[in-house]
């Protein structure tokens, strides 16, 4: 792996020393063969203090992840054709068949103790414009979990679940009926329908809108909402569901998960985003000290991976960065980017790079002495 990185870097005209890199290895463990969900999540579901894995209708006990339990009955069976032959298998089609198909009822999963009984529950969102479901933990009993519809539909392709209001309790952050906003439960009755609070005037953000994130852009202690065309500034009071001020910035044509993070250590929140969830590009937008006439910050864009290998210092390129995470992988105190190729996201006829091998990368954040930064791929 070191050799490949060094050769690619030399081809692109950069001098890179092998001493600059540490080779990290990871062990891959396959939990499930079949396609049940677009995403997965970790959290302690059996109160043993260890993170368990959630994927579709199942959860696996950590840290071994070999003992599997059902959250709900895995009833889905797909009948289709593969290479002209009739095939049948459990779960959704994905690339087991010959066409593009999704796991419609489960895209995202989040773990939280919603009813305060000490057992973590699971919240799921499906294909945009399908419901958010709350599954209450069976509290150690080998039984299917009760399911409740808490929001009629969740829109945007990167909705999240976080405490955006600052009250110490998380909310669904998404698009709903054309607006950006957040949905809150009645915490005394969390299985009842949640209330959506729009933060925009009536908009035209359709269900497949790409790009959403939450973070404090202007360092006022309040979390703002980031999207591909800018950010909505949280006001000092949320009473009466006020419209949040829009600061227009061209962050991405069609992003995925977006993050506010001080990349270069200058004390200002920058933006990290994929540029096109169904195309190419990974970038960070540097927040500058200079302001526009209305007080909005100015930005300097740094695209460090795009369509051509020569556009990355290390010769790395891959398409369809439809999921992005920010996490300190190596424990050095700096958050790194984790992303990869959403293989066959729109099927072989449409997706860029269709048929290419799916990849998963960790881009290590390095702050250099000259105040520049580097994202080193592994």
């Amino acid at each position: 792996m070191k050799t490949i990185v060094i050769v690619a870097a030399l081809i692109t005209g950069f001098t890179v020393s092998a001493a600059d890199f540490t080779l990290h290895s990871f062990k891959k463990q396959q939990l499930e063969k079949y396609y049940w969900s677009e995403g997965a999540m970790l959290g302690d579901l059996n109160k043993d203090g260890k993170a368990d894995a959630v994927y579709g209708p199942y959860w696996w006990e950590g840290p071994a992840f070999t003992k599997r339990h059902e959250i709900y009955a895995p009833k889905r069976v797909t009948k289709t054709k593969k290479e002209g032959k009739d095939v049948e298998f459990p779960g959704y089609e994905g690339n087991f068949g010959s066409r593009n198909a999704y796991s419609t009822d489960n895209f995202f999963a989040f773990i939280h103790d919603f009813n305060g009984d000490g057992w973590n529950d699971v919240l799921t969102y499906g294909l945009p414009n399908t419901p958010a479901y709350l599954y209450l933990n069976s509290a150690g009993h080998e039984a299917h979990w009760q399911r409740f519809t808490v929001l009629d539909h969740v829109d945007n392709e990167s909705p999240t679940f976080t405490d955006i209001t600052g009250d110490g309790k998380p909310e669904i952050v998404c698009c709903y009926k054309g607006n950006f906003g957040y949905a809150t439960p009645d915490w005394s009755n969390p299985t009842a329908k949640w209330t959506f609070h729009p933060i925009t005037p009536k908009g035209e953000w359709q269900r497949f809108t790409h790009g959403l994130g939450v973070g404090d852009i202007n360092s006022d202690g309040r979390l703002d909402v980031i999207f591909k065309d800018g950010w909505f500034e949280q006001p000092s009071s949320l009473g009466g569901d006020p419209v949040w001020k829009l600061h227009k910035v061209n962050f991405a044509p069609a992003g995925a998960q977006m993050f506010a993070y001080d990349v270069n250590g200058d004390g200002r929140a920058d933006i990290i985003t994929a540029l096109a969830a169904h195309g190419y590009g990974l970038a960070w937008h540097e927040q500058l000290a200079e302001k526009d006439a209305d007080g909005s910050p100015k930005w300097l864009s740094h695209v460090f991976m795009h369509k051509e290998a020569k556009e990355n210092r290390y010769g790395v390129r891959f398409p369809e960065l439809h999921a992005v995470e920010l996490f300190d992988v190596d424990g050095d105190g700096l958050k790194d980017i984790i992303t990869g190729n959403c293989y066959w996201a729109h099927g072989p006829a449409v997706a860029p790079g269709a048929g290419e091998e799916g990849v998963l990368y960790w881009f290590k954040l390095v702050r250099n002495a000259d105040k520049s930064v580097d994202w080193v791929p592994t």
Side-chain angles (χ1 to χ4, degrees):
M1 184 177 294
K2 281 185 183 178
T3 304
I4 294 173
V5 170
I6 294 167
V7 169
L10 290 173
I11 290 172
T12 57
F14 294 94
T15 301
V16 181
S17 167
D20 294 335
F21 300 96
T22 300
L23 181 62
H24 297 268
S25 61
F26 296 83
K27 178 182 177 182
K28 179 179 177 180
Q29 180 177 350
Q30 183 173 345
L31 300 184
E32 169 67 13
K33 175 181 179 180
Y34 296 106
Y35 173 46
W36 295 99
S37 172
E38 292 285 313
M41 181 55 72
L42 292 173
D44 183 8
L45 297 179
N46 56 358
K47 295 179 67 174
D48 67 354
K50 300 178 178 64
D52 308 304
V54 175
Y55 172 71
Y58 302 115
W59 70 275
W60 289 259
E61 294 183 20
F65 303 111
T66 54
K67 187 174 182 180
R68 189 180 74 178
H69 306 267
E70 290 183 5
I71 296 174
Y72 55 89
K75 295 180 179 179
R76 176 80 179 198
V77 174
T78 296
K79 297 179 180 181
T80 186
K81 289 185 179 295
K82 183 75 170 182
E83 298 176 350
K85 298 180 181 179
D86 292 329
V87 292
E88 181 177 325
F89 46 84
Y92 293 86
E93 184 163 350
N95 69 342
F96 289 104
S98 55
R99 64 188 182 91
N100 189 39
Y102 300 105
S103 58
T104 53
D105 64 352
N106 198 321
F107 266 46
F108 298 88
F110 303 92
I111 295 173
H112 185 77
D113 180 7
F114 287 90
N115 58 359
D117 66 353
W119 295 82
N120 279 328
D121 312 300
V122 173
L123 175 71
T124 67
Y125 316 152
L127 184 77
N129 208 235
T130 63
Y133 295 122
L134 170 58
Y135 293 88
L136 289 186
N137 198 314
S138 61
H141 301 290
E142 201 65 41
H144 289 150
W145 299 15
Q146 284 185 284
R147 189 182 83 173
F148 301 87
T149 302
V150 295
L151 195 63
D152 292 331
H153 63 267
V154 175
D155 291 342
N156 195 288
E157 296 212 14
S158 304
T160 190
F161 182 63
T162 189
D163 178 18
I164 193 171
T165 63
D167 65 353
K169 298 177 180 178
E171 295 86 25
I172 295 173
V173 184
C174 64
C175 294
Y176 181 79
K177 296 184 177 179
N179 294 307
F180 278 89
Y182 58 95
T184 59
D186 172 0
W187 285 100
S188 66
N189 186 21
T191 59
K193 288 289 182 67
W194 294 18
T195 301
F196 183 77
H197 304 267
I199 65 172
T200 59
K202 181 61 179 177
E204 298 180 355
W205 292 289
Q206 48 92 9
R207 60 176 174 163
F208 296 117
T209 296
H210 283 74
L212 190 153
V214 173
D216 184 2
I217 304 297
N218 54 355
S219 301
D220 63 359
R222 297 186 292 270
L223 295 182
D224 310 301
V225 171
I226 315 159
F227 75 122
K228 65 186 185 69
D229 296 321
W231 58 286
F232 300 102
E233 180 181 349
Q234 182 171 162
S236 58
S237 173
L238 296 177
D241 290 341
V243 171
W244 296 19
K245 181 180 178 180
L246 170 60
H247 300 262
K248 291 185 177 181
V249 187
N250 184 19
F251 286 135
Q257 287 79 13
M258 304 176 72
F259 300 91
Y261 182 67
D262 184 3
V263 173
N264 56 2
D266 64 2
R268 293 183 292 271
D270 308 301
I271 302 298
I272 298 170
T273 181
L275 295 180
H278 297 293
Y280 292 86
L282 185 59
W284 71 280
H285 303 286
E286 180 182 359
Q287 184 177 166
L288 304 177
E290 294 87 353
K291 305 288 184 182
D292 288 326
D294 67 350
S296 299
K298 292 185 176 182
W299 303 86
L300 177 63
S301 298
H302 304 268
V303 179
F304 57 93
M305 186 180 73
H306 213 268
K307 185 175 183 179
E308 303 295 334
K310 65 183 179 181
E311 296 174 284
N312 177 262
R313 180 178 179 184
Y314 303 94
V316 173
R317 45 78 67 198
F318 54 88
E320 300 211 78
L321 287 70
H322 210 303
V324 181
E325 185 56 85
L326 197 65
F327 182 79
D328 182 4
V329 177
D330 57 354
D332 65 354
L334 300 179
K335 291 187 178 181
D336 312 300
I337 297 172
I338 304 169
T339 188
N341 179 3
C342 186
Y343 177 71
W344 252 34
H346 272 183
V350 179
E356 292 184 6
E357 187 74 16
V359 297
L360 179 64
Y361 269 87
W362 154 39
F363 290 84
K364 173 181 170 60
L365 173 57
V366 177
R367 290 178 180 166
N368 300 315
D370 63 358
K371 305 299 183 182
S372 65
V373 302
D374 196 8
W375 296 97
V376 182
T378 299

